Structures are given as structure tokens and as C-alpha cells.
Amino acid sequence: MNDQTHAKGPQALDFKSATLYAVRVVLRSADTAEQLAALAQRMKDAGSFFEDEPVVIDASAIDAPVDWTALVDALRQHKLHPVGIIAHPGHADNAIDSGLPHVELSNPPARPQAQAAPDKEVPVLSQTAQQQVSATPTPPPAQAPAALLINRQLRSGQRIYARHTDLIVIGAVSQGAEVVADGNIHVYGPLRGKAMAGARGDTKARIFTTELDPELIAIAGVYRIIETRLDAQLRNKPAVVTLEDDTLRFDPLSP
């Protein structure tokens, strides 16, 4: 078969652009027993929140060798799928021998943040100036991506992901339900399940709800399991969750 005939035949495969959402597992210790114990505890706390997710193992803070085979086997036992590692060159070779390629994680694209200007910075135009401005044609503003709106209750086992935008839920997020967004999350109703904002690393993302009582809260990969009841000023009250210095902050929303 010559090249010309081959080019006219059906294509057995093709390449398409794609993006991959992956959980980053950051190693703090090279001790295998400590790693496996911490992994088991984390997965127990998170329930099914991370199950069946691709995983990148970040060993950039580890100087000692890592038992990649044992770690990969443990991750797979917990229904996680390792796809690559981040490590010092001296340790990356061993990981590659275990079937883990070295990968690079790009920084998330910055999303425009709405900012309210103080009243004193808002110019007041005279009637003549207003007429002149109105007569001057201006290009229409760029349209921002619309938020994903869910106008119903989310029950246990249901999961919603708002990619590259905010998520608005008008209704309850029940225990066992999961809401994930690359931007902010707004829940106009009880938030009793799991909520993760800034899923692709946006540390400026926030979580708003009219009734805060979640199982798990996460922003940009920093998460907290709510094992005990929240403070009375927060539980079942309007609240906002933000991320400051790698720490989740819970604040009441004043009426």
C-alpha cells in the first residue's frame, strides 16, 4: 500500500485537545508506613470524594527515596489512579521505572475578580457630560462565562462540576452529595454535603451558603473534614468560606 492510498483510508486514531483534572497528593514523609497510614485516614475522612480521580504524586519536598511501587499499589486500592509524579531528578528515575512519568503542573489561569469601587472614586457627571458620553459609541463588554445554575435539590450520590465557572445551587445539597467548581460556589439552601471551590487551584474562590452544615469543605485543594458540629454562630447560618495562607476561614454572613 503506497502513501497516497494510505492517506485516503479511514483514520484509526486522531488527536484532540483535552484538559485533565487531577488530585495532587503531596508527600510530607518518605516513610512508607507513615504514607500508607495517612492515606488510609484521609480516604476514610473524605469518603468517596476523591474516588476514581486521577492522581499526581508530588514528592518535590522529599529528599529521601520513595517506595513508589508500594505507594502506587495503595493508591489504586483506594480507587485512585496515579498518572504521574513531581520529584527531584535524582528520585524521578525510580518513579519512571515504576511506570510513573514525570509531569509538570501549570498554574491555573487567573479568573477576573469583581471589585467594588468606593463611592468617592465614582465620578459624578453633569447633564452635559452625560449627554456627551451617551453619544459616544462604546464597544460592548466582553461576556463572562455564565455560571452553572442548578435549580433543584442534590441528593446523596449526586455530583455536580462547574468547569471554568461558578456554581449556583438553588436548593439543598444533601449529605452524600458533592458540588465542585473551578470558581465560586453559591448554595441558596442547606449545604450538608461536600463542596470544593477553586478546583483547578484558584485560591481566591469562595463558598457561600445560606445554611452551613457540611461534611467537607475545600478550596484550591485545601480541605477540612467537618467531624464535629460547627460553632453555634456558623452552624445552619449564612456563611462564607475563604482560603487565607493555606488555611480555610469560616465567617458568618451578616444580614
Side-chain angles (χ1 to χ4, degrees), residues 51-240:
E51 284 186 2
D52 296 321
E53 295 286 2
V55 166
V56 173
I57 306 172
D58 185 350
S60 57
I62 303 298
D63 294 328
V66 173
D67 187 342
W68 297 108
T69 301
L71 181 56
V72 167
D73 288 344
L75 289 168
R76 288 172 176 164
Q77 289 174 8
H78 287 286
K79 299 182 181 180
L80 298 172
H81 308 289
V83 296
I85 59 100
I86 303 172
H88 296 298
H91 302 316
D93 292 341
N94 293 333
I96 293 173
D97 293 339
S98 300
L100 291 175
H102 192 274
V103 299
E104 296 288 341
L105 295 182
S106 59
N107 293 325
R111 299 186 311 114
Q113 301 293 324
Q115 294 182 352
D119 292 340
K120 64 181 181 180
E121 295 182 4
V122 179
V124 178
L125 301 181
S126 65
Q127 183 176 1
T128 302
Q130 290 178 4
Q131 293 173 349
Q132 292 175 348
V133 171
S134 300
T136 304
T138 57
Q143 183 176 4
L148 176 61
L149 174 62
I150 305 298
N151 194 8
R152 58 184 171 85
Q153 177 183 356
L154 297 179
R155 294 181 170 83
S156 178
Q158 293 182 310
R159 188 186 197 200
I160 299 295
Y161 173 35
R163 181 181 179 190
H164 297 318
T165 189
D166 294 349
L167 174 62
I168 301 174
V169 179
I170 302 178
V173 178
S174 304
Q175 287 186 343
E178 301 175 3
V179 287
V180 184
D182 290 344
N184 305 306
I185 293 177
H186 304 255
V187 179
Y188 296 100
L191 173 54
R192 310 203 189 286
K194 303 178 178 69
M196 187 173 89
R200 293 179 182 268
D202 185 357
T203 58
K204 300 298 184 182
R206 299 183 179 188
I207 298 173
F208 304 86
T209 180
T210 55
E211 294 185 41
L212 181 69
D213 189 21
E215 297 175 292
L216 180 147
I217 288 289
I219 296 179
V222 178
Y223 73 95
R224 174 180 167 186
I225 307 295
I226 311 299
E227 298 177 326
T228 59
R229 288 190 174 186
L230 294 169
D231 186 272
Q233 294 181 339
L234 291 171
R235 186 170 183 266
N236 293 328
K237 301 291 180 60
V240 57

